[in-house]
């Protein structure tokens, strides 16, 4: 696809764990996509370019291809082990809303009433934001969890919905295995509310 931003690398010769790097694949540049071990600006003249197209030649090619016997591309079908937060705190949870890694929260504006519908449901953490309606579902608890299931909390439905600015009940969470309270906000005419947090 077309992109100009940070892309995930599962692992590489420079890192044994998942990370991101700034890559480019823009329609007007036939030599892209650029696939690099680090951000493109740190890679193009240091022998860290791993792929380019259109027979384009420059220092980005001469710094790596002669020294490393060229460059090849392989593919495989790998079974992905995706996080499954539906088993947290006794299980039985249904995923109804998602936001991917980034610097913006959910685009929904329904105050967690379950009326918003957008995007395409997916189990992949990197999928674009999506939501399905859940207002008509029979439920009495919410589970809020990070995509890797490392941080999470369970709260009664009555703690989450309605107008409030004060202490709300949390049944249990990733930091406490018993019922407690935290100060949350759901204020009238404040678009980014409700704020749901592990602590005040």
């Amino acid at each position: 696809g077309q992109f100009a931003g940070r892309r995930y690398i599962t692992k590489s010769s420079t890192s044994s764990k998942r990370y991101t790097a700034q890559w480019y694949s823009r329609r007007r540049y036939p030599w892209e996509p650029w696939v690099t071990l680090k951000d493109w600006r740190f890679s193009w003249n240091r022998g860290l370019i791993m792929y380019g197209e259109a027979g384009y030649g420059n220092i980005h090619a001469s710094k790596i291809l002669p020294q490393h016997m060229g460059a090849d591309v392989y593919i495989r079908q790998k079974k992905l082990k995706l996080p499954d937060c539906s088993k947290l705190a006794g299980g039985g949870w249904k995923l109804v809303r998602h936001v991917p890694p980034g610097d913006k929260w959910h685009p929904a504006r329904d105050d967690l009433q379950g009326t918003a519908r957008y995007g395409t449901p997916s189990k992949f953490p990197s999928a674009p934001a999506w939501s399905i309606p859940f207002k008509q579902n029979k439920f009495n608890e919410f589970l809020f969890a990070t995509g890797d299931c490392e941080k999470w909390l369970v709260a009664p439905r009555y703690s989450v919905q309605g107008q409030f600015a004060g202490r709300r009940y949390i049944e249990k969470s990733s930091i406490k295995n018993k019922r407690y309270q935290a100060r949350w906000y759901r204020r009238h005419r404040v678009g980014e509310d409700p704020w749901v947090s592990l602590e005040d």
Side-chain angles (χ1 to χ4, degrees):
Q2 302 294 308
F3 55 82
R6 308 203 71 78
R7 311 298 284 183
Y8 279 107
I9 298 172
T10 304
K11 62 174 62 176
S12 73
S13 54
T14 63
S15 177
S16 61
K17 60 183 180 180
R18 197 179 196 222
Y19 67 103
T20 63
Q22 186 87 18
W23 290 358
Y24 295 94
S25 181
R26 298 161 293 186
R27 193 181 306 277
R28 64 183 181 275
Y29 298 111
W31 48 83
E32 296 181 4
W34 286 126
V35 177
T36 57
L37 285 166
K38 295 183 178 181
D39 288 357
W40 185 88
R41 64 194 179 104
F42 299 124
S43 300
W44 71 274
N45 63 347
R46 299 181 184 179
L48 299 177
I49 300 284
M50 297 302 296
Y51 183 83
E53 290 189 351
Y56 192 54
N58 207 314
I59 190 172
H60 45 69
S62 62
K63 278 282 189 176
I64 188 170
L65 298 181
Q67 298 90 334
H68 294 278
M69 301 175 67
D72 304 316
V73 178
Y74 298 81
I75 63 170
R76 72 176 176 185
Q77 179 68 26
K78 182 181 179 182
K79 290 185 178 180
L80 299 176
K81 186 178 181 181
L82 300 174
D84 184 7
C85 303
S86 67
K87 297 177 182 178
L88 289 172
W93 302 102
K94 178 181 180 180
L95 180 59
V96 295
R97 187 165 294 177
H98 163 75
V99 69
D103 58 4
K104 293 183 180 180
W105 281 108
H106 300 272
R109 292 179 176 270
D110 65 350
D111 300 325
L112 280 170
Q113 296 300 311
T115 58
R117 181 195 295 274
Y118 51 83
T120 302
S122 171
K123 292 184 178 180
F124 287 93
S126 59
W130 62 266
S131 179
I132 59 174
F134 56 86
K135 185 176 183 178
Q136 303 305 320
N137 290 55
K138 186 177 180 180
F139 72 100
N140 56 16
E141 288 185 319
F142 278 92
L143 166 66
F144 299 92
T146 53
D148 59 5
C149 309
E150 290 293 319
K151 295 183 179 183
W152 56 270
L153 69 81
V154 175
R157 185 175 182 176
Y158 64 78
S159 281
V160 176
Q161 296 180 335
Q163 303 291 316
F164 54 83
R167 307 196 71 76
R168 311 299 285 179
Y169 279 108
I170 297 171
E171 297 296 345
K172 62 173 62 177
S173 74
S174 52
I175 64 171
K176 195 169 290 189
N177 197 35
K178 61 181 181 180
R179 200 178 205 217
Y180 67 103
Q181 292 182 319
R183 184 172 294 277
W184 293 354
Y185 293 93
R186 168 60 192 99
R187 297 157 294 185
H188 186 53
R189 294 180 180 176
V190 180
E192 65 267 24
D193 288 7
W195 286 120
V196 177
S197 55
L198 286 164
E199 297 180 335
D200 291 355

